[in-house]
Amino acid sequence: MLDVINMDLYKLLDGCWQYLGPLLVVLLIVRMRCSRLHTTKRPLLVVPYTTAPEASAAKPRNPDIARHKSTEWYKMLFFELQNLEDYPESLAKAREELLAMFSHALSIALTEPEWQHRNSIMSIENYSADAMHGFLKDAHEKTMSDWTKYLERRKQGKGPELFTSAENAKAWLVQQAPVKFVDGAWLGHVHKITTPFALRSVTKHVWQVLSEELGDGDPDKHHVNLYRRLLKSVGSSLPSGHSAEFIHASEWERGENHGIWEAAVCQLAISLFPNEFLPEILGFNMHFEEVRLDTMQVAHELKHYGIDPYYFLIHISIDNADSGHTAMASHAVMQYLEVLRASEGEAATQRAWKRIQTGYVLSQTSGRYTRPPELNFPNIETLPTELNTQVLKIFRSKAAVSLSMHARSRIHIGRYTLHEWLEATMRMNSDGLDLLTALSRAKPWVLAGDSGRSLLVRELSWEGRMFGAFTKSEVAIICRWIDALSYKSEPSLYWTLTQRQQIPTHEAVTELRDPALHHPYLPAGNVNTVLDDFDSYEISMGYNGVDFSLNNALTEQPKLKTASRARLPDIIALWFAHISLLENTINTPSRTVDAVHLGILRILRAQAGFGIECDIVAGMDEVRRNFCPSLVDMGLELTQKLSRIAISAQPQTLKQVFILVASHGQGCESFRFANDMLKWSARPTTNLGFLLGVALAFVEFKDAVWRAPDLLSQRSRRVLQAIAAREKKSLEECARELQTTSTSLYRDLLRANYFTRLILPNCIQD
């Protein structure tokens, strides 16, 4: 659709009404109504890392339009999504909201005046690496140009542009806390054991971004801790971001911050469906990690008021486009599309690009625009082609009689002159849905399904201003077209643009009920707790009533015997399942600031094949590293040792691994234990001690596999030995921390470690 501009209608009509002819009247009416319909933007509320300071107290530009959801609704969902094991039903709610957010972002990107230019990512209709990099380069250069102009204004003596005072800046910092306390959350569920194996090379690089947001396991570098220190320096001490106390803090009563909560929910919601919405996550990440003008302005102005700007300075440096998060994010997008092109072809690649664009504009718009209660659009695509064609023919004929008289017209509608508009209408080679879409949305001129109440029809009739410009039959066709329009709900815009087959949420959540397919996992009905399961293990092994206080998981334990190749199906099942044990413990950034969770992050880095942590972030160095296999890579190497398996039958997902080993004689005990581990890992908070105890026992499991000479290559065995050493060091640090801080969690660790050591020999040895 041609761009919408804000113009003075009365000034235009004063000089040009009698010359523009009937089509101009229609087009101007359509355009003005579209402009009014979509001008629901409010002052900037949330930008990743910064926004305009007065945003909290600003009122919507269009106060008669209510918000789609209340601030309280978003605050509650913010809490639930960070406590999913207690609110698993919120997954369905989050998916519905995410789909609405996608469509809302697209509606802004496709209709708002400021988005109708070549600097919008939507202008890249067909993906190519050169086009994408050119767009990102242009965006970066514009940011740098705007930054130079800002500095010049400041040098000329002009004051701060974002904050009016130090107190104003401090208040703004507090209001930003909901988005800062979930920094990186949009990547919280990527690169899990349930990620399709072919995509793990892509998700590894974006997971690295999350790792660096969490300080790579260093509390001093953790971004939530950095922001907490900043808040403390301005006199604010908020509860933990995942707590109920946080959403009820009195600080939120001091200003209007609806957009901030909506943006924070957006970051959480998009993370929850990594298998379904990976392209959107990659696009979201690519925009979010760009160096932004407002980030630099905030840092500059905080320093002006004597407030430490380091939190914002570090985001400028770590997000750099050469070796930082911007470069890593764009590399991941390009790599993903290359993988897709190789496996599914060009058409699939272009469809995925539309989804990446969707994620990108969601990051751009999240929290900055209000949504009316019902932003529903007529679905002109469901109309008979013949009826659309007849309406277009009418407008083409009207354009033909008024084209030449406007050749010198300077009037612009969007980026086109009136002459260009009319000319395009005459030679329209496409299906013309842009024009029809604009007209169909121009309330009250067109009320879908009700021509009698549509103002356009009244204006074409007797006593209307355009009476006589259209014939009786032409008006009849327009009436039939209006009456045939049906409304589609806003989320349909996402399905239409991305060309995806619409999947209702009640069907989509079915996949969430299988922990071998999807994490986070939605339990089906009542399930046993980890305590129930371990009680059952104790009884079956005859160890009921063991005093775990006599067991010390930190002392040297008897080693497992070397794993037997004859038990390879059982070894493979346990190998893949145990990788899931700790993955879900770092989904929520504000939960990961303590010593135990930071130790777990270092364990996950080792398991995923990342380099050893140091004082300097790796950035793109990690992407360029050679031969850094993960535990998943080694697991796939193990599957190649199974007999009767062709290369074409290699498993592509965790589910396929389980099917494969079952067909090769997997035993009942390993089957049960593998599935239990997947189930336990879905409740990382409740089961934290148990999960650490099981993980510690599996260090010996890996040692038993390493000692087997015929299971892994010599090169993989050397890497495995190094990974296990890193795991053991961090796991023992976690155990010591629990020993001093939580008696109950440490007891859980001892119990799980003890029984896992009893179970494993029965699964991997002859």
Side-chain angles (χ1 to χ4, degrees):
M1 185 58 215
L2 296 175
D3 298 347
V4 183
I5 63 168
N6 292 321
M7 62 174 71
D8 186 338
L9 178 59
Y10 297 105
K11 181 178 179 180
L12 174 65
L13 294 180
D14 184 52
C16 303
W17 177 270
Q18 66 270 34
Y19 301 107
L20 301 183
L23 179 60
L24 175 59
V25 176
V26 173
L27 293 179
L28 288 175
I29 291 170
V30 169
R31 188 49 67 188
M32 289 305 298
R33 293 310 302 174
C34 284
S35 178
R36 292 175 187 172
L37 175 64
H38 294 291
T39 308
T40 57
K41 189 175 79 170
R42 61 185 302 155
L44 203 59
L45 285 179
V46 170
V47 181
Y49 311 136
T50 125
T51 64
E54 291 82 12
S56 302
K59 298 299 181 184
R61 292 183 184 177
N62 204 347
D64 58 332
I65 297 180
R67 292 191 183 92
H68 187 67
K69 302 275 193 333
S70 70
T71 302
E72 290 304 313
W73 188 90
Y74 283 110
K75 287 165 70 174
M76 192 62 205
L77 188 57
F78 175 86
F79 171 72
E80 292 172 357
L81 296 185
Q82 294 183 91
N83 295 273
L84 268 178
E85 56 193 89
D86 296 324
Y87 301 93
E89 68 281 357
S90 294
L91 280 170
K93 189 193 307 183
R95 185 178 184 273
E96 286 293 302
E97 178 62 18
L98 180 61
L99 288 170
M101 287 179 167
F102 283 149
S103 287
H104 180 58
L106 288 170
S107 71
I108 293 168
L110 295 173
T111 61
E112 284 287 339
E114 66 210 72
W115 291 73
Q116 303 299 304
H117 52 71
R118 63 184 180 86
N119 292 327
S120 168
I121 197 171
M122 302 303 294
S123 66
I124 307 176
E125 295 186 11
N126 294 301
Y127 166 78
S128 72
D130 288 343
M132 187 188 81
H133 285 306
F135 164 76
L136 295 175
K137 181 175 180 290
D138 289 346
H140 180 72
E141 289 178 352
K142 184 179 185 305
T143 297
M144 294 301 104
S145 174
D146 290 343
W147 171 240
T148 300
K149 294 173 184 176
Y150 168 80
L151 291 179
E152 186 60 33
R153 293 193 297 271
R154 297 300 305 275
K155 287 179 182 178
Q156 292 173 358
K158 295 185 178 180
E161 297 179 4
L162 298 182
F163 305 117
T164 57
S165 65
E167 290 307 310
N168 179 233
K170 292 175 183 179
W172 178 86
L173 289 170
V174 173
Q175 293 300 311
Q176 296 298 300
V179 290
K180 304 308 182 187
F181 283 9
V182 293
D183 196 4
W186 62 93
L187 300 173
H189 293 275
V190 300
H191 207 57
K192 297 290 178 68
I193 190 60
T194 48
T195 300
F197 301 146
L199 295 176
R200 288 185 64 84
S201 61
V202 176
T203 57
K204 179 181 179 180
H205 299 321
V206 291
W207 191 89
Q208 182 194 348
V209 172
L210 173 64
S211 176
E212 293 181 1
E213 298 281 349
L214 304 183
D216 284 341
D218 184 339
D220 291 334
K221 299 185 183 75
H222 195 298
H223 289 192
V224 173
N225 280 339
L226 287 173
Y227 204 74
R228 279 196 165 281
R229 287 200 289 272
L230 175 57
L231 290 179
K232 185 176 181 180
S233 73
V234 298
S236 176
S237 180
L238 289 167
S240 296
H242 58 277
S243 67
E245 292 78 12
F246 182 79
I247 64 172
H248 296 303
S250 60
E251 282 81 355
W252 317 134
E253 300 172 4
R254 299 171 188 171
E256 164 47 48
N257 57 0
H258 175 88
I260 294 169
W261 290 102
E262 184 177 341
V265 165
C266 176
Q267 293 179 33
L268 293 166
I270 196 173
S271 76
L272 298 174
F273 311 94
N275 291 351
E276 182 179 6
F277 295 120
L278 180 60
E280 290 82 359
I281 293 173
L282 295 177
F284 189 96
N285 184 60
M286 186 164 69
H287 174 264
F288 208 102
E289 294 300 334
E290 290 178 0
V291 175
R292 308 279 293 282
L293 172 64
D294 32 31
T295 307
M296 295 187 286
Q297 287 177 301
V298 166
H300 195 75
E301 297 188 12
L302 290 180
K303 184 178 180 180
H304 173 87
Y305 288 116
I307 300 171
D308 183 4
Y310 187 68
Y311 176 88
F312 297 94
L313 291 175
I314 199 173
H315 281 92
I316 297 169
S317 58
I318 203 171
D319 290 342
N320 77 84
D322 176 56
S323 61
H325 292 179
T326 297
M328 293 159 66
S330 61
H331 175 83
V333 167
M334 185 174 67
Q335 186 181 10
Y336 170 74
L337 292 172
E338 287 175 353
V339 170
L340 202 62
R341 179 178 280 127
S343 61
E344 299 185 31
E346 184 63 25
T349 302
Q350 297 303 332
R351 289 194 296 271
W353 173 244
K354 295 298 183 187
R355 300 177 61 185
I356 288 166
Q357 289 175 308
T358 299
Y360 189 96
V361 298
L362 176 61
S363 174
Q364 285 182 302
T365 60
S366 176
R368 304 179 204 179
Y369 294 80
T370 57
R371 274 184 283 163
E374 292 185 29
L375 191 49
N376 292 340
F377 297 137
N379 188 1
I380 64 172
E381 293 151 348
T382 63
L383 295 183
T385 303
E386 181 183 356
L387 189 54
N388 282 336
T389 302
Q390 289 175 335
V391 174
L392 288 168
K393 183 179 179 181
I394 292 171
F395 286 111
R396 187 178 291 113
S397 67
K398 302 303 177 186
V401 299
S402 56
L403 174 64
S404 59
M405 72 175 66
H406 306 301
R408 294 177 178 269
S409 174
R410 295 174 135 187
I411 297 170
H412 277 72
I413 300 177
R415 60 181 176 229
Y416 300 107
T417 65
L418 176 62
H419 179 74
E420 290 171 331
W421 212 146
L422 298 174
E423 191 174 46
T425 303
M426 284 187 62
R427 65 169 188 262
M428 195 178 294
N429 295 320
S430 66
D431 57 13
L433 292 185
D434 282 348
L435 176 60
L436 295 185
T437 298
L439 187 59
S440 71
R441 298 179 181 181
K443 294 181 181 179
W445 303 94
V446 170
L447 300 177
D450 193 349
S451 62
R453 293 177 56 238
S454 296
L455 186 55
L456 174 60
V457 175
R458 297 208 304 270
E459 293 289 0
L460 295 175
S461 304
W462 174 242
E463 295 186 342
R465 288 174 291 176
M466 291 183 287
F467 174 72
F470 291 74
T471 69
K472 178 180 178 181
S473 61
E474 289 171 340
V475 173
I477 290 171
I478 291 173
C479 287
R480 283 199 295 118
W481 178 75
I482 293 174
D483 290 335
L485 289 171
S486 61
Y487 276 103
K488 61 179 179 180
S489 61
E490 187 187 348
S492 296
L493 186 57
Y494 164 78
W495 299 110
T496 300
L497 184 130
T498 60
Q499 301 175 38
R500 291 188 64 198
Q501 181 178 357
Q502 186 165 350
I503 305 172
T505 292
H506 71 272
E507 294 180 11
V509 298
T510 301
E511 181 181 311
L512 312 188
R513 300 189 186 280
D514 186 346
L517 287 174
H518 191 279
H519 276 201
Y521 152 63
L522 182 62
N526 295 324
V527 295
N528 288 343
T529 67
V530 66
L531 290 171
D532 296 330
D533 290 331
F534 271 101
D535 286 344
S536 175
Y537 280 116
E538 289 178 20
I539 294 171
S540 65
M541 291 186 293
Y543 284 90
N544 197 21
V546 172
D547 185 358
F548 298 104
S549 63
L550 302 177
N551 177 52
N552 188 348
L554 301 178
T555 61
E556 288 295 325
Q557 300 286 345
K559 288 185 177 296
L560 287 171
K561 293 181 180 179
T562 301
S564 169
R565 181 161 180 165
R567 303 298 301 274
L568 191 53
D570 304 281
I571 293 169
I572 291 172
L574 296 178
W575 183 281
F576 279 92
H578 98 279
I579 297 171
S580 74
L581 285 169
L582 301 174
E583 287 183 329
N584 292 311
T585 58
I586 64 159
N587 299 335
T588 306
S590 71
R591 287 188 185 277
T592 63
V593 297
D594 61 82
V596 171
H597 286 87
L598 292 172
I600 290 173
L601 179 63
R602 294 192 294 273
I603 294 165
L604 295 175
R605 286 178 52 82
Q607 292 179 343
F610 288 103
I612 296 173
E613 301 77 28
C614 65
D615 289 338
I616 307 297
V617 295
M620 285 295 289
D621 285 351
E622 188 67 57
V623 176
R624 302 181 185 112
R625 281 180 65 218
N626 294 320
F627 193 71
C628 41
S630 66
L631 292 184
V632 170
D633 296 321
M634 296 178 196
L636 291 173
E637 185 178 337
L638 290 173
T639 65
Q640 296 174 12
K641 300 295 177 67
L642 289 171
S643 61
R644 306 185 310 278
I645 176 171
I647 295 178
S648 60
Q650 287 290 321
Q652 301 299 311
T653 63
L654 177 64
K655 187 72 172 180
Q656 291 181 12
V657 168
F658 286 165
I659 294 172
L660 176 65
V661 296
S663 70
H664 281 74
Q666 178 190 10
C668 294
E669 193 160 9
S670 71
F671 174 84
R672 177 189 175 188
F673 196 43
N675 281 277
D676 280 346
M677 283 191 286
L678 289 174
K679 184 181 66 175
W680 298 335
S681 70
R683 296 183 62 81
T685 303
T686 302
N687 299 339
L688 180 61
F690 288 100
L691 295 173
L692 286 167
V694 176
L696 189 56
F698 265 88
V699 173
E700 286 301 320
F701 168 84
K702 284 188 275 288
D703 185 65
V705 172
W706 169 77
R707 283 185 273 110
D710 56 349
L711 293 182
L712 293 171
S713 68
Q714 288 297 322
R715 198 177 187 188
S716 293
R717 290 173 69 196
R718 286 195 297 271
V719 175
L720 176 59
Q721 190 175 27
I723 289 175
R726 290 170 65 186
E727 283 184 299
K728 184 177 181 180
K729 179 177 183 293
S730 292
L731 281 164
E732 289 178 347
E733 290 172 353
C734 291
R736 291 191 197 93
E737 181 69 17
L738 290 183
Q739 192 174 18
T740 58
T741 60
S742 176
T743 302
S744 60
L745 287 178
Y746 185 64
R747 179 177 172 81
D748 290 344
L749 182 151
L750 295 178
R751 184 183 186 191
N753 182 260
Y754 182 85
F755 280 104
T756 302
R757 288 177 177 276
L758 293 177
I759 294 167
L760 286 176
N762 299 332
C763 298
I764 69 171
Q765 296 169 2
D766 289 333

